[in-house]
Amino acid sequence: MSVEKKLVRRGTKEEAPVGSPAEQAGPNALLEQARQFAAVAAEAHRECEEIENAEQELQRRRNTSGE
Amino acid sequence: MIVPKFLGRDCELSTSGSDAAGEPIKAWDVSRAVIENVDAAYEPYGTKVWTPRSDGWLWGGKYGGFYLGSAYSTDCLRHWAPDGKCFYVDMSHVEVCTAPALSPRAFAAQVIGALLVAEAARKCAEQRAELGTAYRLSASNADPVDPAISWGSHLNVSVSHALWEDLCLSHDHPAILGFVASAIAAAVPFFGAGYVLLPGDGTARYSLSARAHHITRVLTLATTEAFGRGLLNTRREPHARACERLHLIGFDQSLASEALLGSFMQCVLAAAEEGYCGHVLFDPVRATHAWSWQIDLKSGALTGLALLADGERITLPAYMRRVATALIEMCDSGFITDAVAPEAREMLGRIVELTRYAEEGAVARLGRHLTWAAKLLHLLDLCARRGATFADPAVRLADHDFLDTGAERGAFWRLWRSGRIDPLIELRHARKSLLDGPPESSAWGRGRLIQRFGADITSVEWDRVVLRRGHERFAPLLCIEMPRLDSLCRTRCEQIIRAAADASDLECLTEDASAEARLEDPVGDVSRQLAVLPRGEENGGAGARP
């Protein structure tokens, strides 16, 4: 295939972004990996009050631009 | 000419806080409080940092001293650490510049060690603040709410003057620029830290790189323009006269893969200095986006395709494997040596192995060494537990806090402890790196001078330390210059510094043994010689310019 034809194909459905997990319900091999990887989850996840006020906490994490 | 590829990181940290009432504290105030406690953070190691007076003036006051910058400027409050690091505030963020290191593992230890000090300083600051005050630091480099806000955690690599000028100014060899830009375009997502991207249409997308959406140019001078940063940056801030320091602003602080990323870039730039220019992408910026944003969240496959200059479409793992394999061949053939890029064969071999895992969709295996993969699994599990999506505030918070400097908050540290993540060093190596700078680097000697003669030092810079020869206020000064990144390496200066009774005994360190050899180019040098030496000037100035 010529470079021109390949260029035309850029940006088509083939390159469409993949959605979030909720948009991809169904059997999920990656989710199974996630469960196993986070087997330490009881320790790794902060099931604490802070996460219940996540929106508020997000605002407290706001930053300015930098470099 | 290939120069040793010293690695450094400007670790600019997410800096935030809240007061006892839960109201946000200005980042500048948090940064000031944290930086003020860097000295206390080094106390357990029995060492002290060196810093100029906080009013910006050194000894002697406004009418007899040296002005070192306002405490209110965007880059100030510099603290030079005994292990070669430098702590300061940059645009209201806490920032740490690591000591240059040649070994990728030493580089990883420097980066993680920098976070250990920052966290210790944060804790000290919080304990000294009003009850209920909370300070937060994170190695995340993107705002959790507004994707337009980002800050750097730049990777710096030493390169020859010739390569720097070729890439950033003259573009004499565009194919080499193409190769370097292409390799960076791949490394940015491959070694990314992961980021939940909110495009504004209500959806959420997982990006391998937290900076990809800001990279829209191949080459820029600006570093702070939202959505306008380059794969390559032309900021010229060498830390030694003998070489340039290529400033790569597109990378995340990817703690799990610092050693792999560092080694990969050492080899890419060493190959470029040898004139290598293969595997050029047709559109490196677009490739960064396609590779960052296209992951199948069911299978874990990296589905994004980019176009090579010859028309072939290629995935990120396939591209990384091709480049890494070519670099291994250069190591085997002796083009890239251990003196330039130590441990390269091992690191490149590991990268090739990771590309196989990526093609198999074995994300958990990737997660051992790639931060984006570990974070993705962490967030997916959180989504499943909470019935949430990536757009859920709790998930975005977990995204931002994944690299929190606090071991009790940052999931990175817990996953490391549990063996799920392996940054190719152990925590004890990072702690040990806080005692001294890397022995192969001038940072070792600078750190030792700070430890032994801190009271006599009047100024410190990346390429020099100035000391008083006596304790009197107007004692003569001794300037120890470091023209190369290894001028004060351990083997050259340990005995001298150890044996010195006072600063006067350091005189021999001022001898500049850094004569540079330069190859003559009978074609390329002609224009330069004509410009530098007008007719007659070489004969005593008969025809010299006025």
Side-chain angles (χ1 to χ4, degrees), chain A residues 6 10-11 14-15 17-19 22 28-30 33 37 41 43 45-46 50 60-64 66-67, chain B residues 12 14-16 22 90 93 136 143 150 154 211 223 229 286 297-298 311 361 363-364 381 385 389 401 420:
Chain A
K6 287 174 186 291
R10 285 191 296 139
E14 194 176 333
E15 290 192 1
V18 179
N28 193 325
L30 189 55
Q33 287 190 62
F37 187 79
E43 186 192 0
H45 287 309
R46 288 174 298 118
E50 182 175 279
R60 290 179 184 148
R61 300 287 198 284
R62 296 296 307 274
N63 273 256
T64 53
E67 211 62 39
Chain B
E12 189 167 354
S14 164
T15 306
S16 58
D90 189 359
H93 293 255
R136 289 289 167 82
D143 190 83
S150 180
H154 305 165
R211 290 280 267 187
T223 58
R229 292 163 167 108
R286 186 180 177 87
L297 292 176
K298 285 180 182 169
V363 180
D381 186 59
R385 285 162 164 264
T389 68
D401 287 353
R420 299 291 198 278

Side-chain angles (χ1 to χ4, degrees), chain B residues 147 224 283:
Chain B
T224 57
D283 186 340

Side-chain angles (χ1 to χ4, degrees), chain B residues 285-298:
Chain B
V285 169
R286 186 180 177 87
T288 298
H289 297 164
W291 285 338
S292 283
W293 298 337
Q294 293 176 53
I295 175 169
D296 184 332
L297 292 176
K298 285 180 182 169

Side-chain angles (χ1 to χ4, degrees), chain A residues 2-67:
Chain A
S2 69
V3 172
E4 288 73 20
K5 283 183 179 175
K6 287 174 186 291
L7 290 174
V8 169
R9 289 180 63 189
R10 285 191 296 139
T12 60
K13 190 178 178 183
E14 194 176 333
E15 290 192 1
V18 179
S20 65
E23 295 161 347
Q24 297 193 6
N28 193 325
L30 189 55
L31 191 55
E32 187 50 38
Q33 287 190 62
R35 284 199 190 99
Q36 291 179 17
F37 187 79
V40 286
E43 186 192 0
H45 287 309
R46 288 174 298 118
E47 303 289 1
C48 60
E49 192 173 303
E50 182 175 279
I51 215 162
E52 299 307 325
N53 299 316
E55 186 62 56
Q56 194 178 10
E57 277 299 321
L58 274 177
Q59 294 301 325
R60 290 179 184 148
R61 300 287 198 284
R62 296 296 307 274
N63 273 256
T64 53
S65 285
E67 211 62 39

